[in-house]
Amino acid sequence: MTLLIKNAMVNGKKQSILIEGNRISSIGKVADKSGMVIDGAGKAAVPALFNCHTHAAMSLFRGYADDMPLHAWLNDKIWPLEAKLTAEDVYWGTKLAILEMIKTGTTFFNDMYWHPLETAKAAEEMGVRAAVSAIFLDFGDEEKAAHFRDEARRLFWRKDEFSPRIQLAVAPHSIYSVSRPTLAWARDFAKKHQARLHIHLSETEREVKDCVAKNGMRPIAYADDVGLLSERTIAAHCIWLDDDEIRMLAEKKVTAVYDAVSNMKLANGSFFPYDRLKNAGVNICLATDGAASSNALDMFTEMKVATILQKHMTGSPAAFPHGEVFSCATKHGAKAFGINAGVVAEGKLADILMIDRRQVSMVPYFDLTSNLVYSANGSVVDTTICDGVVLMEGRKVDGEEEIMDKADEAAQGLVQR
Ligand SMILES: [Zn+2]
């Protein structure tokens, strides 16, 4: 199967891209092979985006409870609904999330949520890539911990059933919601399977204070003490860090994930120390977090907010320039998850977006990444390709009406149940 993208702007030049199977086989003046052809006139080809920290099915909770203090929001609104979630709810909620991702140019998400098999099924069916996790959230309860260990084993037993687009990960929710023995078990289990370890780390000031009071050290130091930090660790948030912690993250080659919109909307009270982490050599990715906290999964919004927050807080308009923002949303994500994508180049996996240059936010066309980061939103994506397969063309995704109907039904049902 070949796919030819004809005469698009690719890496600053008008040229064509030939995709054979799931890879980009050549870029330039390529011979017209019989197969599917996409007219690239008026379009720019760019790498698809990586959303490196999500709770996809929480899209069901979009707009259900906003503008509340964090603990009341969780205790009174989110957790009671989550207690009623069925596997089918997660399936349709995840499909809703993936639909939004495809429509806004994201083809990989790193997820942490209940019923991970449903998440994997939704991602398989919709053609995107995902890291799907076995979750741990025991609050020190040994019975719960045993349940999560069983669930993790059950998920990983099925490892070979998934396509190469799906990778399995291990996700202890956070250092404050998971006991030390369970964190250690998750660490060993992830190591045994060479899986990524996905965790919320240093998200709130309370987490830091409680950790110091309980363990006599700050969260990153505690995570290091438990042995959680390695090049397979994906740490979401990382907004309350001192210099020693930044050094530890760099030394252990941890990937830090910046969730600007979520941090601001939940009023987490600090901001991601981008320059300090970058200068220390930490791999930095971007993410939306779940739609219950950030409401949208549009990585274009995330890119813009991520950089303007840095400029605002540091007092420097030169902070976090747009080229770096775009790299964090593409090749840094690919690096973190060992996926041979994140750039449009020969030999890479064909995870590509066709950007419509005739959308008003893309005119004039001085600088593509400036437009993508500062003026565009996800609606400039005309075509989304993942693994050599066209998932959206002309902004139409197969089955989108059904997904919206079923997800809406599931969300309304949850509230009424
Ligand atoms: Zn999260």
Side-chain angles (χ1 to χ4, degrees), residues 53-55 112 200 203 236-237 259 289-290:
H53 173 65
T54 60
H55 312 283
M112 179 197 290
H200 293 98
E203 180 177 6
H237 300 300
D259 301 81
D289 209 345

Side-chain angles (χ1 to χ4, degrees), residues 2-16:
T2 67
L3 170 62
L4 178 68
I5 300 169
K6 244 180 146 170
N7 301 322
M9 286 302 287
V10 187
N11 302 328
K13 275 194 285 189
K14 198 174 211 184
Q15 44 190 346
S16 299

Side-chain angles (χ1 to χ4, degrees), residues 38 56 151 202 229 240 274 354 414:
I38 291 178
E151 290 286 299
S202 281
L229 306 183
W240 294 88
Y274 175 77
M354 301 295 291
L414 262 179

Side-chain angles (χ1 to χ4, degrees), residues 214-230:
K214 195 172 159 212
N215 305 302
M217 52 191 129
R218 293 171 60 93
I220 305 292
Y222 176 67
D224 192 37
D225 198 49
V226 182
L228 295 179
L229 306 183
S230 81

Side-chain angles (χ1 to χ4, degrees), residues 51 56 103 119-120 149 201 273 394 413:
N51 190 346
K103 290 216 148 198
T119 309
R149 292 195 297 268
L201 212 44

